[in-house]
């Protein structure tokens, strides 16, 4: 049976969505396929990669991708991490069974030393709860 596909989406695909992709692979890569994209992709921010490495989360293979790269593809879940991407997702030419919106502040615009670590922690908390719900749903089947 194919693993459920999850797409994390934000504006630049340089921080939050990459964190989501890497975290899901780290926490439940045996149960889910994780992807990320941006509506206006930039490149992975070095502070994003550093925050992930500090938590011993694999960063190899992480790259910024455009939402257009996934047009026509199906995802079981799309998790949108910012307002701008939420707007673009409405017109996206892909399909999804579940659409979640987690408004995580962009660490690039927060002037604190630990902004990337805080964003990573917030995504981890939400993702952990979501994974618990998924496990509960799977056990009920």
């Amino acid at each position: 049976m194919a693993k459920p596909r999850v797409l994390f989406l934000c504006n630049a695909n340089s921080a939050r969505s990459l964190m989501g992709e890497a975290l899901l692979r780290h926490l439940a890569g045996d149960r889910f396929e994780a992807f990320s994209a941006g509506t206006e992709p930039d490149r992975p921010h070095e502070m994003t990669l550093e925050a992930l490495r500090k938590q011993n989360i694999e960063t190899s293979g992480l790259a910024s991708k455009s939402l257009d790269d996934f047009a026509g593809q199906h995802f079981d879940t799309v998790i949108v991490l910012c307002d701008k991407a939420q707007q673009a997702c409405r017109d996206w030419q892909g399909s999804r069974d579940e659409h979640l919106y987690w408004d995580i502040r962009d660490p690039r615009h927060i002037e604190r030393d630990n902004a990337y670590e805080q964003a990573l922690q917030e995504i981890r908390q939400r993702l952990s709860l979501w994974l618990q719900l998924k496990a509960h749903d799977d056990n009920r089947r």
Side-chain angles (χ1 to χ4, degrees):
M1 185 171 159
K3 294 190 266 187
R5 302 178 78 219
V6 179
L7 176 66
F8 293 89
L9 179 62
C10 70
N11 185 42
N13 193 216
S14 66
R16 296 163 291 179
S17 53
L18 287 175
M19 289 176 180
E21 176 185 358
L23 266 172
L24 183 57
R25 286 184 181 157
H26 180 75
L27 296 172
D30 59 329
R31 294 176 37 215
F32 296 92
E33 281 188 85
F35 304 88
S36 67
T39 56
E40 298 172 8
D42 193 350
R43 60 181 169 75
H45 195 286
E46 186 54 42
M47 296 297 291
T48 299
L49 302 176
E50 185 178 320
L52 289 165
R53 286 187 203 112
K54 283 182 182 177
Q55 297 290 315
N56 295 316
I57 298 169
E58 183 62 46
T59 61
S60 63
L62 285 181
S64 297
K65 298 160 291 298
S66 172
L67 180 59
D68 294 339
D69 295 344
F70 297 102
Q73 294 188 36
H74 175 79
F75 288 91
D76 298 279
T77 304
V78 173
I79 301 174
V80 180
L81 300 168
C82 72
D83 280 336
K84 196 166 189 178
Q86 176 74 347
Q87 296 296 324
C89 196
R90 291 184 181 134
D91 300 326
W92 179 52
Q93 300 301 311
S95 65
R96 62 225 174 240
D97 296 333
E98 178 181 42
H99 180 127
L100 301 174
Y101 175 56
W102 300 345
D103 188 19
I104 309 291
R105 288 185 62 202
D106 190 342
R108 296 177 306 165
H109 303 300
I110 300 172
E111 294 186 21
R112 279 197 311 263
D113 291 341
N114 66 344
Y116 286 83
E117 288 83 3
Q118 280 190 318
L120 181 59
Q121 183 61 29
E122 188 172 347
I123 294 167
R124 180 188 287 271
Q125 289 171 344
R126 292 179 188 216
L127 194 53
S128 294
L129 289 171
W130 181 78
L131 287 169
Q132 288 175 24
L133 289 170
K134 289 296 181 189
H136 178 50
D137 290 348
D138 290 346
N139 289 336
R140 295 182 74 190
R141 290 183 192 156

